Amino acid sequence: MNLGNFSVSLAVKDIAVSRAFYEKLGFRVIGGDQAQNWLILQNETSTIGLFQGMFDKNILTFNPGWDRNAQSLADFEDVRELQRTLQARGITLVSAADESSTGPASLMLMDPDGNPILIDQHVPKPKR
């Protein structure tokens, strides 16, 4: 199962303070809008999102259809395919993608310790 590009979405209290901290660790802003309280940062090997006031807990995030630079991939496992596989394996979903859709969609599940996992696809289903 290929879940897509991975990042950690951090629920931060003060986006400016968090940005300054992660920049000291070698991260650089590659996307987002600090005025809207969200930024995407990368260093050599890692991607993190900083989100102020958008959710309560940190979230493990996977993006099917994107590479590390948020560029669309020609072929990937669509979120609806991943959803069917997860459900067949007995995973309970907190939210599900609309099976009748073909565009961007997402699903959410929790790991056994209550950590949210978001599978968030921003591109249309691949043409096969």
Side-chain angles (χ1 to χ4, degrees), residues 84-93:
R84 287 188 292 275
T85 301
L86 292 169
Q87 290 172 321
R89 293 180 180 177
I91 302 288
T92 301
L93 302 179

Side-chain angles (χ1 to χ4, degrees), residues 60-94:
L60 304 174
T61 304
F62 297 91
N63 301 112
W66 269 2
D67 67 12
R68 178 172 153 75
N69 298 311
Q71 298 300 305
S72 297
L73 300 171
D75 192 36
F76 60 93
E77 287 184 64
D78 182 70
V79 67
R80 287 152 285 260
E81 294 172 45
L82 296 169
Q83 178 170 284
R84 287 188 292 275
T85 301
L86 292 169
Q87 290 172 321
R89 293 180 180 177
I91 302 288
T92 301
L93 302 179
V94 174

Side-chain angles (χ1 to χ4, degrees), residues 29-90:
V29 174
I30 62 147
D33 184 343
Q34 188 165 329
Q36 293 179 359
N37 291 326
W38 71 281
L39 292 169
I40 307 299
L41 295 87
Q42 284 185 338
N43 71 7
E44 203 58 36
T45 60
S46 303
T47 303
I48 58 173
L50 305 178
F51 297 89
Q52 181 180 327
M54 294 186 182
F55 43 83
D56 297 327
K57 296 178 91 174
N58 298 333
I59 301 173
L60 304 174
T61 304
F62 297 91
N63 301 112
W66 269 2
D67 67 12
R68 178 172 153 75
N69 298 311
Q71 298 300 305
S72 297
L73 300 171
D75 192 36
F76 60 93
E77 287 184 64
D78 182 70
V79 67
R80 287 152 285 260
E81 294 172 45
L82 296 169
Q83 178 170 284
R84 287 188 292 275
T85 301
L86 292 169
Q87 290 172 321
R89 293 180 180 177

Side-chain angles (χ1 to χ4, degrees), residues 8-22:
V8 175
S9 299
L10 300 174
V12 300
K13 294 176 185 169
D14 184 322
I15 197 162
V17 170
S18 294
R19 175 184 182 168
F21 174 81
Y22 283 102

